[in-house]
Amino acid sequence: VQLQASGGGLVQAGGSLRLSCAASGGTFSRTVMGWFRRAPGKEREFVAAISWRGDTRHTDSVRSRFTISRDNAKNTVYLQMNNLKPEDTAVYYCAASYILSTVESQYNYWGQGTQVTVSS
């Protein structure tokens, strides 16, 4: 499975961005898709995940602001990020798994990352 993330950029606090991750080379409709992020000087952390049926998981810090969704016909997963805060600044990675999990080690495939910078 190959993953290509896009949609990052520079935005002011309170703004919105939508990240996309296009998948190829696998059975996307049966794959769990997740988003992780790595902030400067910090470990990579789980953000959100979605199963092939649409079951979702979100980390507490983004639950009311970020929404993960997928379009199986387009082999694409999205992360809609609203009310962005400076602490959301990070490189965001999409990843694929066969298990709906918040654990990084359970994701087998990773995209290259896209930078999100939120200015105050």
Side-chain angles (χ1 to χ4, degrees):
V1 178
Q2 291 80 47
L3 303 174
Q4 180 72 40
S6 62
L10 173 64
V11 64
Q12 289 188 330
S16 298
L17 283 174
R18 188 177 78 157
L19 305 183
S20 300
C21 178
S24 61
T27 308
F28 180 80
S29 62
R30 292 294 184 181
T31 303
V32 171
M33 299 298 297
W35 286 98
F36 290 74
R37 65 186 180 186
R38 178 181 282 134
K42 295 187 177 181
E43 298 291 319
R44 188 156 57 184
E45 66 174 357
F46 170 79
V47 178
I50 186 167
S51 74
W52 54 89
R53 300 183 307 178
D55 301 316
T56 61
R57 300 286 187 270
H58 294 78
T59 194
D60 287 345
S61 63
V62 309
R63 193 179 305 278
S64 62
R65 301 183 295 121
F66 293 7
T67 302
I68 190 170
S69 62
R70 65 190 293 160
D71 185 337
N72 289 338
K74 296 182 178 180
N75 287 1
T76 302
V77 64
Y78 305 98
L79 186 68
Q80 177 66 43
M81 305 186 295
N82 298 327
N83 191 22
L84 282 158
K85 303 176 180 181
E87 52 264 42
D88 295 318
T89 294
V91 178
Y92 283 71
Y93 299 88
C94 62
S97 175
Y98 299 106
I99 301 171
L100 183 57
S101 173
T102 64
V103 179
E104 180 178 342
S105 63
Q106 294 185 329
Y107 285 78
N108 310 91
Y109 306 96
W110 292 84
Q112 84 288 2
T114 185
Q115 176 71 46
V116 172
T117 303
V118 184
S119 63
S120 57

